[in-house]
Amino acid sequence: MKKCGKYIVAVSLTAAMCMNLNPAFAAVDAPKIHVTEENAVPGLTMDGQPESSYWFPEQLLSWDAKTDSDLPHNISHVPLATRVAADKLQPVNDTQNRDTKVMAISIMNASTSGNAPHGLNEIDCNTFSYWQYVDLLVYWGGSSGEGLIVPPSPDVTDAGHKNGVPVLGTVFFPQDVAGGKVEWLDTFLKQDSDGKFLMVDKLVEVAQTYGFDGWFINQETDNQKNGGLSSEYAAKMQAFIQQFKQKAPELELVWYDSMTKTGAMDWQNALTSENLMFLQDAKGKPVADDMFLNFWWTDEKYASKKLLESSENLAKQKGIDPYDLFAGVDVQAKGYETPIRWDLFEKDAGGTHTSLGLYCPSWAYTSATDQQDFLNKETTLWVNDKADPSAEITYDSPQEWRGVSRYVVERSAITATPFVTNFSLGNGASFFRQGQEISKLDWNNRSLSDVLPTYRFMMAHEGNNKLTATFDSEQAWYGGNSLKLAGNMEAGKASNITLYSADLPLTKDTVWTTTAKASQATALKLIVTLEDGTEQVIAADKQIGTDWTTVRFDVSKLAGKRVQRIAYSMSTSKQANPYTFHFGNVSVYEAKQIQNAKVSQLKVDDKTFDEDSMYAGVRLSWKIEGSAPYYEVYRINADKSRSLLGVSNTNSFYINTLPRTDDTNKSEFMVVPVDFTQGQGVGTTVQMEWPNNSLPKAGFQASKTLAAPGETITFTSTSSVNTKEVAWELPGASKTTATGDSVSVTYSKPGTYDVTIRVKNSAGADEKTIKGCIVIDSAANTLKNLSQGKTVTASSFVNENEAPKFAVDGDSKKKWCATGTPPHELTIDLGSVNRVSEVVIQHAQAGGEGADMNTKAYRILVSEDGKNYQEVVNVTRNAQGQTKDTFAPVKARYVKLDITKPTQGSDTAARIYEVQVFGLPQ
């Protein structure tokens, strides 16, 4: 995702402007808020970052919640919301069917590993927002290089639960060609002497401890090199699923149509006698709850078989609900350009043969060029190309994409008060509090997402009015977004927008407020449809102004009624073209539901620092008295003002790349509970000590160390950031002394030369000399890649497709990958002793993977005999996709890459696409 650059503005706000203080907090001095600046080092992740979990089978069997330091950050505390009963849902077009369900198998995070449980300080995130069309969300993950058993990150579970959607983790056994190993499957299906599957207890424990709702099992390991799997594996898997359901019947378990009763990988693309055993055993007893049917039912070669119709017939014959079958549609590559034979999915008499399963609707995010493109693509995928689920659309081809809204009635989790939405997508380029920007720090945390409008978007206009709706990240009431309507308004004419489906009870004490702003004074009316189908129109107590305005609607006359649909009407007394209207908040609650919460025992659980101690990663936790939907985390500045660091929905928080702001060697943090009206409860503070980093630390890098006479060599200081002065001594160079962060020189005569850098600041000085740093040789006009195609060995590798040889084959699309506990070693035999001076490494990003997978820390060692090694490079904080390390030229036959920190996060898999050793043959 891309966003425009922003100007950093230092602003202070009084408490009256941006703090709504509860009485319990009133005794605290009114705080001054400084707008938090943008992240100075985007993309940097500190070593102490908590990480969402993933395991290989043997790792999960030994997992102990009591010793898992990341566990507090990985638990979802949001209960699964109750949805409106299906028989109360009101279709908005003639083709919607209350029985048809949707399963979304979605890549919510780019990789299996390295994911922060509640996001980090960057806006880039898959903030999926069409939960109203989903009945089950599968958090898709797992790889042979990272781990196979992947629970959902808690921010995804939180977002799903707010919308009443169960969220499932993934158990993924890849095919052999993707690195699958039958040993992993054997470990997973290991039984004790009583026939009890050991993994059942672990899967249940993880789901119940983490607070998610079950598992999706994708077993595709085929063991082809040993003749395939036997029917014994199928029988064991059936027994495994039944034991799981017996132990935890409340947890959902979904089976993928892959393995058949013979144990073979033979995708049926339907419910057949070959895979029925995974839904129902021979005695008619249930096995898995649901089955995701493979994608090929829509291919022309299978069309005549009408596989979905036959699946429905077999399901009914066996007493299975056909809507527990999900017809798979793979949209990962083409999204809504994917051709699908919808006539094979639809029944002639209306409705559908089965439910619908979308594989990788995350395409809308991964293919998008920016946030708005993401939102537009999601709308077309889930609603239709008219961005209106009630629109009547005719299609020219049975394969033309139909939005999901054609088949599925919009679900709603608005069934009780309080119902509060700030229209937050769960990320932002800024953070707003009561309409004021208090942080320019990019952020994402899907735990802070709100229940968004059910209908996207159903609008009606009088006269010449015309408005379009979208989400705006430039203005918000709380969080990062508001709902923006833009267009033109004719004087005295109304425009209506229908926002939410609901089954919401009202009492005589119900408070209904809406916070909004408009470019011209606007009369706002609330339109609610009651359970008897009648509409009630209620005018706001005042007009919406050009500043954020909170209005109240008197709904006391509707006490005892239930609201089934929520809409608003807007009108202006004057013509407005252009016209904008922003919805910032809708709140429906009982006054007695507002609780004052208190935070106490705030602790710094862990802290890590970069080499210069200029940035910190900090884990905080605290105790809670009462409850609050949000906890705002602040830094207390030297002038006692506050700077927002982020917001949590639980009793822990991770601060990534906290910048050092002064030389006191201390930072003070405050955590404040916030109720759903943004009233603040009683907060508390804690201090953290920084290491003393007053003295500078000298270091430098040379553009090349083995060069021909007259070649330009640039020396660049890599000294600590607190360095104030830099001086160079370069005997034999065109400049023998110099000052400044970099200097470029030439050497006219062959020979070996030393280099010295001296640095200082007010606290003291440091220097570094490298003897024989530069070698000038007439033969060094062009250095040779000495490593390509040479013999290479490694401490380990995942499979033959990611073997060590691919690190020196000259193809940057193939890699060496090693898993397990680091360090990971790759040793290149150059074949003979050579003079080497630099190594170029292509890390994960150079091969097309995420930057968070780039090697963070590694060493390069050299040896003449393969036994005695000398370290020539030690890198501890790399973040680049390609690195070039130079060192004083040295004789070597063997070059060893020793990877000590494989990624930017906690993932332990090394990914190296190419290693090039440059020098001169001897």
Side-chain angles (χ1 to χ4, degrees):
M1 297 292 169
K2 300 176 181 177
K3 68 180 185 68
C4 296
K6 299 184 296 182
Y7 295 101
I8 299 175
V9 182
V11 180
S12 65
L13 307 171
T14 65
M17 292 173 65
C18 69
M19 295 293 180
N20 174 20
L21 300 180
N22 276 341
F25 199 71
V28 179
D29 291 338
K32 182 171 66 174
I33 303 298
H34 280 298
V35 176
T36 309
E37 295 184 352
E38 288 187 327
N39 186 14
V41 281
L44 176 63
T45 302
M46 305 301 293
D47 288 343
Q49 175 210 310
E51 185 178 21
S52 295
S53 300
Y54 54 95
W55 302 279
F56 288 102
E58 64 272 16
Q59 291 174 325
L60 181 53
L61 287 176
S62 62
W63 174 75
D64 185 351
K66 295 178 182 178
T67 59
D68 185 349
S69 60
D70 286 348
L71 181 61
H73 298 266
N74 276 318
I75 295 174
S76 169
H77 295 274
V78 177
L80 181 63
T82 300
R83 282 185 150 183
V84 177
D87 60 354
K88 290 187 176 183
L89 295 174
Q90 300 300 311
V92 297
N93 64 58
D94 293 339
T95 56
Q96 288 183 335
N97 177 30
R98 289 188 177 91
D99 295 324
T100 304
K101 297 182 291 187
V102 175
M103 181 189 304
I105 300 179
S106 193
I107 301 173
M108 300 301 293
N109 286 309
S111 62
T112 293
S113 59
N115 299 307
H118 293 279
L120 288 175
N121 43 341
E122 58 185 17
I123 192 173
D124 191 4
C125 183
N126 180 7
T127 50
F128 173 67
S129 67
Y130 278 98
W131 297 97
Q132 66 268 38
Y133 294 113
V134 177
D135 296 275
L136 286 172
L137 184 125
V138 177
Y139 180 92
W140 189 243
S143 77
S144 59
E146 299 165 278
L148 308 179
I149 302 170
V150 189
S153 58
D155 59 336
V156 175
T157 303
D158 288 350
H161 281 188
K162 286 183 182 181
N163 290 274
V165 178
V167 179
L168 311 185
T170 302
V171 177
F172 174 57
F173 292 102
Q175 297 178 49
D176 292 6
V177 294
K181 298 179 182 179
V182 73
E183 292 82 3
W184 287 330
L185 185 58
D186 289 337
T187 302
F188 184 81
L189 294 173
K190 187 176 181 180
Q191 295 171 277
D192 63 16
S193 58
D194 295 325
K196 178 181 177 182
F197 291 97
L198 305 182
M199 191 62 76
V200 163
D201 286 348
K202 284 298 184 182
L203 292 182
V204 171
E205 180 187 6
V206 169
Q208 293 177 342
T209 302
Y210 282 35
F212 62 94
D213 307 288
W215 295 94
F216 180 100
I217 297 181
N218 179 20
Q219 198 315 88
E220 295 185 279
T221 298
D222 43 18
N223 198 29
Q224 286 299 311
K225 60 185 177 183
N226 294 315
L229 298 177
S230 67
S231 59
E232 181 183 356
Y233 280 94
K236 276 191 174 183
M237 190 61 80
Q238 181 193 61
F240 181 98
I241 296 170
Q242 288 185 311
Q243 278 193 24
F244 179 94
K245 291 299 298 181
Q246 289 167 4
K247 183 175 181 63
E250 76 282 2
L251 295 178
E252 194 91 6
L253 199 144
V254 181
W255 177 257
Y256 174 49
D257 159 35
S258 50
M259 178 187 279
T260 64
K261 63 185 180 182
T262 66
M265 295 306 104
D266 187 8
W267 299 266
Q268 299 294 293
N269 311 291
L271 180 67
T272 72
S273 59
E274 295 297 310
N275 59 20
L276 175 65
M277 66 175 289
F278 298 106
L279 278 185
Q280 188 181 87
D281 68 14
K283 297 181 179 180
K285 294 182 179 180
V287 187
D289 296 291
D290 316 278
M291 182 181 290
F292 186 91
L293 304 179
N294 192 50
F295 317 116
W296 304 336
W297 58 268
T298 186
D299 290 0
E300 284 305 315
K301 66 181 292 187
Y302 296 106
S304 62
K305 297 182 179 181
K306 297 184 177 181
L307 293 176
L308 299 187
E309 182 178 346
S310 68
S311 296
E312 178 190 17
N313 292 336
L314 179 58
K316 289 180 176 179
Q317 176 187 335
K318 296 295 183 178
I320 297 170
D321 186 347
Y323 293 106
D324 290 338
L325 304 174
F326 292 82
V329 173
D330 183 356
V331 295
Q332 184 175 22
K334 296 183 178 180
Y336 48 70
E337 298 295 332
T338 306
I340 301 297
R341 283 287 303 272
W342 295 109
D343 56 322
L344 299 175
F345 179 63
E346 300 170 350
K347 289 184 177 183
D348 293 338
T352 63
H353 293 294
T354 66
S355 290
L356 180 65
L358 291 185
Y359 178 72
C360 289
S362 41
W363 163 88
Y365 166 73
T366 57
S367 67
T369 56
D370 56 31
Q371 183 78 10
Q372 190 57 53
D373 189 37
F374 171 34
L375 292 171
N376 293 342
K377 286 182 172 178
E378 272 208 322
T379 298
T380 302
L381 187 72
W382 289 95
V383 184
N384 50 48
D385 57 8
K386 303 295 185 185
D388 180 353
S390 64
E392 293 186 6
I393 302 175
T394 57
Y395 298 96
D396 297 329
S397 164
Q399 292 185 314
E400 189 175 352
W401 184 261
R402 276 80 160 145
V404 175
S405 69
R406 177 178 175 86
Y407 302 109
V408 178
V409 181
E410 291 79 8
R411 279 73 160 123
S412 172
I414 306 173
T415 58
T417 59
F419 164 60
V420 177
T421 180
N422 295 297
F423 302 95
S424 173
L425 293 167
N427 67 343
S430 303
F431 199 95
F432 295 82
R433 192 181 201 287
Q434 295 195 337
Q436 299 291 334
E437 184 183 42
I438 63 172
S439 172
K440 291 182 179 293
L441 191 69
D442 289 2
W443 63 278
N444 74 80
N445 184 352
R446 288 169 291 206
S447 295
L448 305 186
S449 63
D450 285 314
V451 175
L452 298 173
T454 311
Y455 306 108
R456 312 281 181 82
F457 286 97
M458 288 168 41
M459 304 181 70
H461 305 288
E462 294 180 348
N464 294 317
N465 287 6
K466 185 177 181 181
L467 299 175
T468 57
T470 189
F471 293 99
D472 186 4
S473 62
E474 297 295 323
Q475 301 186 63
W477 178 245
Y478 190 81
N481 310 99
S482 59
L483 177 61
K484 177 182 178 180
L485 310 182
N488 57 273
M489 295 284 282
E490 185 179 349
K493 300 297 184 180
S495 286
N496 294 0
I497 182 167
T498 303
L499 292 180
Y500 289 100
S501 171
D503 185 22
L504 188 64
L506 301 179
T507 74
K508 62 181 180 61
D509 298 318
T510 299
V511 177
W512 195 308
T513 66
T514 300
T515 301
K517 64 189 299 186
S519 58
Q520 187 173 123
T522 300
L524 186 66
K525 295 179 181 179
L526 170 67
I527 305 173
V528 293
T529 304
L530 303 178
E531 56 189 334
D532 61 4
T534 61
E535 283 189 354
Q536 298 291 324
V537 181
I538 305 166
D541 61 349
K542 56 185 174 184
Q543 285 196 326
I544 299 296
T546 55
D547 294 325
W548 286 109
T549 309
T550 299
V551 298
R552 195 178 184 113
F553 298 95
D554 183 1
V555 294
S556 60
K557 294 181 180 179
L558 303 181
K561 306 290 186 181
R562 301 184 76 90
V563 174
Q564 288 198 329
R565 192 168 288 177
I566 300 169
Y568 286 91
S569 173
M570 293 142 285
S571 62
T572 59
S573 59
K574 299 179 182 179
Q575 181 174 332
N577 187 9
Y579 172 82
T580 58
F581 186 98
H582 287 82
F583 281 101
N585 170 274
V586 173
S587 296
V588 188
Y589 61 94
E590 310 291 317
K592 63 184 178 181
Q593 293 174 325
I594 301 175
Q595 298 183 23
N596 290 326
K598 180 179 179 181
V599 169
S600 62
Q601 300 182 47
L602 177 60
K603 297 187 301 180
V604 175
D605 294 324
D606 188 35
K607 53 188 178 181
T608 57
F609 304 96
D610 70 324
E611 280 191 344
D612 298 330
S613 296
M614 294 302 296
Y615 296 95
V618 186
R619 297 189 186 203
L620 299 175
S621 67
W622 54 89
K623 298 291 185 182
I624 299 170
E625 296 178 34
S627 64
Y630 303 120
Y631 299 88
E632 295 172 347
V633 182
Y634 293 93
R635 181 177 194 157
I636 306 300
N637 303 311
D639 63 357
K640 301 303 180 183
S641 65
R642 300 180 192 172
S643 295
L644 183 73
L645 298 175
V647 180
S648 173
N649 73 324
T650 182
N651 65 332
S652 63
F653 187 75
Y654 177 68
I655 308 168
N656 185 48
T657 59
L658 176 76
R660 189 170 191 145
T661 56
D662 55 45
D663 56 3
T664 62
N665 294 332
K666 291 182 180 180
S667 285
E668 185 176 9
F669 307 111
M670 171 176 274
V671 176
V672 182
V674 182
D675 66 37
F676 58 76
T677 69
Q678 294 186 47
Q680 291 188 325
V682 177
T684 190
T685 63
V686 69
Q687 283 194 342
M688 182 192 78
E689 297 283 342
W690 290 76
N692 186 337
N693 70 339
S694 57
L695 290 174
K697 184 178 180 181
F700 71 90
Q701 189 173 40
S703 60
K704 57 180 63 179
T705 58
L706 182 56
E711 279 195 86
T712 299
I713 299 175
T714 299
F715 298 98
T716 304
S717 172
T718 58
S719 304
S720 56
V721 295
N722 60 351
T723 298
K724 299 301 182 184
E725 298 179 26
V726 179
W728 302 87
E729 287 189 10
L730 306 166
S734 56
K735 297 178 184 177
T736 58
T737 62
T739 59
D741 288 337
S742 68
V743 57
S744 295
V745 299
T746 60
Y747 293 83
S748 60
K749 296 180 180 180
T752 301
Y753 301 93
D754 302 339
V755 176
T756 297
I757 183 173
R758 291 189 174 91
V759 298
K760 65 168 60 175
N761 63 16
S762 59
D766 188 30
E767 69 175 62
K768 181 177 182 178
T769 298
I770 297 181
K771 296 288 187 181
C773 178
I774 302 297
V775 172
I776 302 299
D777 189 323
S778 298
N781 284 308
T782 303
L783 299 183
K784 182 180 179 182
N785 180 359
L786 304 170
S787 56
Q788 185 166 325
K790 296 299 173 64
T791 301
V792 61
T793 57
S795 54
S796 67
F797 58 97
V798 173
N799 56 57
E800 292 298 334
N801 295 319
E802 297 175 325
K805 64 181 180 182
F806 295 119
V808 293
D809 66 346
D811 186 348
S812 60
K813 295 182 180 179
K814 297 177 182 178
K815 68 180 174 182
W816 162 60
C817 182
T819 58
T821 304
H824 304 299
E825 294 183 348
L826 182 81
T827 304
I828 303 168
D829 181 355
L830 301 178
S832 61
V833 174
N834 297 269
R835 188 161 48 170
V836 298
S837 63
E838 63 186 64
V839 175
V840 175
I841 305 173
Q842 293 183 350
H843 304 273
Q845 191 177 16
E849 299 188 67
D852 56 332
M853 299 300 174
N854 289 334
T855 314
K856 185 169 186 178
Y858 59 91
R859 300 188 304 151
I860 298 173
L861 304 97
V862 297
S863 171
E864 291 189 56
D865 59 8
K867 298 178 181 178
N868 301 297
Y869 280 88
Q870 169 192 354
E871 180 184 291
V872 292
V873 172
N874 191 339
V875 175
T876 59
R877 49 182 177 181
N878 172 61
Q880 302 304 310
Q882 178 167 305
T883 55
K884 174 185 174 182
D885 295 297
T886 61
F887 44 89
V890 61
K891 291 181 179 181
R893 171 175 174 173
Y894 301 92
V895 178
K896 180 185 293 185
L897 173 62
D898 179 34
I899 296 176
T900 55
K901 186 74 171 62
T903 62
Q904 304 299 300
S906 302
D907 179 14
T908 60
R911 301 165 178 84
I912 300 297
Y913 281 82
E914 202 69 21
V915 179
Q916 298 173 320
V917 180
F918 288 93
L920 293 177
Q922 286 293 91

